[in-house]
Amino acid sequence: MIRITKLTDYGILVLTLFADLPEGAKVSARDLAEETYLPQPTVGKILRLLTRAGLLTSTRGASGGYRLARPPEAISIIDVIQAFEGPI
């Protein structure tokens, strides 16, 4: 049995929101925090981990934000878990 942390659970929630967006759409950390009712520092940490794992890309600046690095169909739950928990 695999036990996952709350942060991993929140990461799955955040990626689910990205999967529902039109392809290539960008979202800011602030908008994600409002949508998920999570604290902005927690959302920032989740986004950093997902970006480091290659699941998201980020763009800085006034029109910046985060978007999926590949199509939602190409991201498995194992990819998400490994981004937070390490190799299984």
Side-chain angles (χ1 to χ4, degrees), residues 43-72:
V43 171
K45 184 174 183 177
I46 290 167
L47 293 172
R48 278 190 302 278
L49 289 169
L50 292 172
T51 302
R52 189 177 302 142
L55 301 175
L56 296 178
T57 59
S58 65
T59 307
R60 299 182 93 174
S63 63
Y66 293 86
R67 71 174 131 206
L68 288 175
R70 51 190 180 207

Side-chain angles (χ1 to χ4, degrees), residues 7-65:
L7 197 62
T8 303
D9 188 34
Y10 295 155
I12 293 167
L13 172 68
V14 167
L15 272 181
T16 302
L17 292 175
F18 276 102
D20 288 339
L21 295 174
E23 187 174 337
K26 290 187 248 180
V27 181
S28 70
R30 177 179 295 148
D31 291 341
L32 284 169
E34 289 175 8
E35 181 75 22
T36 59
Y37 299 102
L38 295 173
Q40 193 165 350
T42 302
V43 171
K45 184 174 183 177
I46 290 167
L47 293 172
R48 278 190 302 278
L49 289 169
L50 292 172
T51 302
R52 189 177 302 142
L55 301 175
L56 296 178
T57 59
S58 65
T59 307
R60 299 182 93 174
S63 63

